[in-house]
Amino acid sequence: MRIKLTLTRPSGSSADIVVTTDAAASIAEVASTIARVDPQGPDSANADFTLHARLPGSTETLPLPPEAPIGEAWVGSGAVIELADAGVYYSAARTGQAPAVAVVRVLSGDDAGREFTLPAGSWTLGREASCDIVLDDPLVSKRHARLEVGGEIELVDLGAANGIVVDGGIVPRLKVVEPERVLIGDTEVEIGFAGTVGRAGVVPKAGPVYFNRSPRVEQRYAGETFPAPEPPTERENQPFPLLGMLTPMLLGGAMYFFTRNPLSLIFIAMTPLMLIGNYFTGRGRNKRKLKQQIKIFDERLESLGKQLAAEREIEHDVRMREAPSTSEALKHALTRGPLLWTRRPEHWSFLNLRLGVGTMPSRNEVSAKARDSFLPEFQERLEKLKDQYATVADVPIIDNLYDAGALGIAGSPQTAGER
């Protein structure tokens, strides 16, 4: 693994360094190597060293446990480190002068009844005499497990043959929140906090933060297409059937002239009445049909307006969840909330940056047919409704860093600084 760090020296000078090491190398080994190869390093290069690390954006310096693997240490690229005497830092803990944070009680086996109180730090548990907690159990490995004690308690398996057994299953590491009973070899121990140690909040510790992201359905509003009601169409008025009236009358007159039959006169009289009746009946039918079309259009336009209004609220809420604010993202990062690590390169929103909130085009559409025969009055009402719901207010304004390449802030230095 490669880590880019800034090394600060007691003289006040600093240097950017690149550490290339195996992830299993201890903090002490890395610190001793830095001390040995640094031209301005300490004179006592053979002393036992550890590292004090300050993470990017943090003002707190964390002492790292010398025996912890660098791959599990609370340090990464961008951190500022300094060499420290491992013996000096851990002298208070080793001599029992530091306050107790954790307690380990042996419940079974040859060491049943023993109790170990541990201050903050890194502690080993095993059969070997050099361990901090020695258990007389042949099924316990020489260096079986490590206890990381600080704002949290974590038990880490050091590759023991029999592992760490919790509730009948082997676990590689265990975070202790409430008193936990674990089986180490053939010995059952209980691990918990000593007294009323505060455990709330986000407490940095010497080691990485392991986080198992819960499954989460990514929010995305795709939008919908709503069919528009068809406006009433213009209808041509039928002309008065004057020619249709004259033709039967001429025909009836000719028949009477030749036949002298009175029925021809009845035919002449009834034909205009029938044509006039059909004319006014057709006009009345067209008016009723137009009135019915207007009624249906009004009802469907009102229903469409209600649908668009309800969908606008849904779109606003979902689009706000698509791009959380910076403060919300920071909150979830600090408390390991469900938003943490939810953006991956394969996701559509990867590298999206929320610039603020504003009015943006709606993702919903209203599909309407364009025809010249529609009555202009009703076509205008439909277009007005479409324009009313064409945008959504107070939704995130987003740019993508991959597409943009680079983003800058324009304006006066004071205004830009506030952003």
Side-chain angles (χ1 to χ4, degrees):
M1 61 181 296
R2 290 166 58 88
I3 311 175
K4 298 178 181 180
L5 306 169
T6 298
L7 173 66
T8 59
R9 305 183 180 95
S11 62
S13 63
S14 62
D16 294 331
I17 63 174
V18 177
V19 175
T20 304
T21 181
D22 188 274
S26 67
I27 297 292
E29 292 171 337
V30 173
S32 298
T33 303
I34 293 174
R36 186 177 69 253
V37 300
D38 183 15
Q40 302 180 38
D43 296 333
S44 54
N46 295 324
D48 293 329
F49 290 101
T50 187
L51 296 176
H52 288 187
R54 186 172 72 252
L55 299 179
S58 174
T59 58
E60 182 180 0
T61 299
L62 301 174
L64 306 182
E67 66 274 14
I70 186 71
E72 297 185 6
W74 186 275
V75 65
S77 292
V80 178
I81 63 168
E82 60 184 47
L83 298 173
D85 190 331
V88 171
Y89 170 70
Y90 281 96
S91 61
R94 304 299 181 187
T95 57
Q97 298 176 9
V101 176
V103 58
V104 178
R105 298 181 179 89
V106 182
L107 304 179
S108 66
D110 295 340
D111 297 303
R114 296 183 64 188
E115 184 175 297
F116 303 88
T117 56
L118 305 175
S122 181
W123 311 91
T124 55
L125 184 151
R127 197 176 71 250
E128 198 172 64
S130 61
C131 292
D132 301 297
I133 299 175
V134 179
L135 297 178
D136 186 13
D137 183 346
L139 296 182
V140 174
S141 299
K142 291 182 179 180
R143 292 174 60 85
H144 197 105
R146 185 177 75 251
L147 271 167
E148 298 288 353
V149 180
E152 299 173 343
I153 300 175
E154 197 166 19
L155 181 65
V156 183
D157 186 2
L158 296 179
N162 295 314
I164 301 171
V165 180
V166 180
D167 294 332
I170 296 178
V171 296
R173 58 196 317 128
L174 173 67
K175 181 180 178 180
V176 178
V177 179
E178 299 295 336
E180 289 277 0
R181 292 191 177 191
V182 300
L183 187 64
I184 298 178
D186 200 27
T187 301
E188 185 180 25
V189 300
E190 183 183 72
I191 305 171
F193 284 89
T196 57
V197 177
R199 304 191 288 278
V202 181
V203 183
K205 65 182 182 62
V209 177
Y210 289 87
F211 176 72
N212 184 24
R213 181 173 64 85
S214 301
R216 179 175 180 268
V217 178
E218 188 178 23
Q219 298 289 335
R220 186 177 188 183
Y221 188 82
E224 294 187 31
T225 300
F226 295 89
E230 189 169 301
T233 57
E234 295 179 350
R235 296 187 177 276
E236 296 182 1
N237 293 325
Q238 296 294 330
F240 188 78
L242 181 61
L243 183 60
M245 291 174 58
L246 293 176
T247 302
M249 290 175 67
L250 293 175
L251 179 61
M255 291 174 63
Y256 178 77
F257 178 78
F258 290 106
T259 63
R260 301 297 177 176
N261 189 344
L263 293 176
S264 300
L265 298 176
I266 298 175
F267 178 77
I268 294 172
M270 293 298 296
T271 299
L273 292 176
M274 292 173 58
L275 292 176
I276 293 173
N278 287 337
Y279 171 74
F280 284 105
T281 300
R283 289 194 61 177
R285 183 173 59 249
N286 289 339
K287 288 182 178 179
R288 289 192 300 272
K289 190 172 183 180
L290 178 60
K291 187 176 181 181
Q292 182 67 17
Q293 285 183 340
I294 293 174
K295 179 182 178 182
I296 294 175
F297 175 79
D298 289 342
E299 291 175 351
R300 292 181 178 177
L301 189 67
E302 182 182 1
S303 176
L304 177 62
K306 292 179 180 179
Q307 284 182 294
L308 291 174
E311 201 64 29
R312 172 184 273 180
E313 297 296 325
I314 297 174
E315 180 179 4
H316 176 270
D317 293 342
V318 176
R319 289 177 69 166
M320 289 295 289
R321 292 196 295 269
E322 284 180 0
S325 64
T326 303
S327 59
E328 185 179 2
L330 177 61
K331 175 184 175 182
H332 282 263
L334 293 176
T335 59
R336 305 179 207 171
L339 286 181
L340 186 60
W341 303 124
T342 54
R343 298 287 173 85
R344 304 295 178 96
E346 63 270 19
H347 293 158
W348 70 275
S349 55
F350 184 66
L351 293 182
N352 275 1
L353 179 64
R354 174 168 161 172
L355 304 177
V357 294
T359 301
M360 297 292 290
S362 173
R363 296 177 189 170
N364 293 318
E365 295 180 355
V366 177
S367 63
K369 298 178 181 178
R371 284 172 56 181
D372 296 335
S373 60
F374 290 149
L375 291 174
E377 173 190 353
F378 300 97
Q379 182 71 30
E380 290 174 3
R381 288 175 55 191
L382 177 59
E383 293 299 328
K384 183 178 179 181
L385 182 69
K386 290 171 60 178
D387 294 341
Q388 180 181 351
Y389 292 98
T391 58
V392 184
D394 298 326
V395 293
I397 299 175
I398 297 171
D399 202 353
N400 186 271
L401 293 176
Y402 180 82
D403 297 333
L407 293 175
I409 299 177
S412 66
Q414 180 180 359
T415 305
E418 293 174 355
R419 296 289 184 257

